[in-house]
Amino acid sequence: MTKLEELTALLVNEINDFNKGIEKLDKINEQISVAKITMDLSEYKSIVEEHQQQMAIHKDTLERFESRFNNKINETKIYPTWAIVVFIVSLAFSLVSISYIVFK
């Protein structure tokens, strides 16, 4: 009978320990459900604001580059000035010589 009593006492102890563990888990569960988690976003906000400032600077730089590039494109000429002058002079000379030959 002693073994049976020992086993019974061991089972009772184990059941009591199990019940205590369950009670602790219930308390922890209640604490978790009551607890509110707040996030501190101030550090992330400062990082995002700094990134936005850098992106604004890059955007302004790109816009200025685009503006200068468009101005250069608009100012470009297809033919150089000296080529146009030579063409007009040769055209005028050709017309004068043809008219001289025709009217002579």
Side-chain angles (χ1 to χ4, degrees):
M1 240 344 180
T2 30
K3 285 208 171 212
L4 188 58
E5 289 175 1
E6 287 179 16
L7 285 174
T8 306
L10 185 63
L11 282 174
V12 168
N13 286 337
E14 289 295 323
I15 289 173
N16 286 337
D17 289 342
F18 182 74
N19 285 334
K20 287 179 185 177
I22 289 177
E23 289 174 7
K24 286 181 182 179
L25 286 175
D26 284 338
K27 288 179 184 177
I28 292 172
N29 190 23
E30 288 175 13
Q31 289 175 352
I32 289 175
S33 64
V34 171
K36 293 183 180 179
I37 299 173
T38 58
M39 295 179 66
D40 183 21
L41 299 176
S42 60
E43 182 179 338
Y44 295 111
K45 285 181 181 179
S46 65
I47 291 172
V48 168
E49 287 174 0
E50 181 180 337
H51 181 68
Q52 285 178 338
Q53 290 173 354
Q54 289 176 353
M55 293 306 292
I57 291 169
H58 289 299
K59 181 182 174 191
D60 291 340
T61 305
L62 286 175
E63 286 175 353
R64 281 188 275 130
F65 174 77
E66 181 183 10
S67 174
R68 281 186 287 145
F69 184 77
N70 287 336
N71 287 339
K72 293 283 185 183
I73 293 294
N74 291 335
E75 291 175 2
T76 57
K77 300 175 184 176
I78 296 175
Y79 301 108
T81 307
W82 65 267
I84 295 173
V85 170
V86 168
F87 175 74
I88 292 173
V89 168
S90 63
L91 186 63
F93 183 72
S94 298
L95 288 175
V96 168
S97 44
I98 289 174
S99 63
Y100 179 74
I101 292 173
V102 170
F103 291 121
K104 189 175 179 183

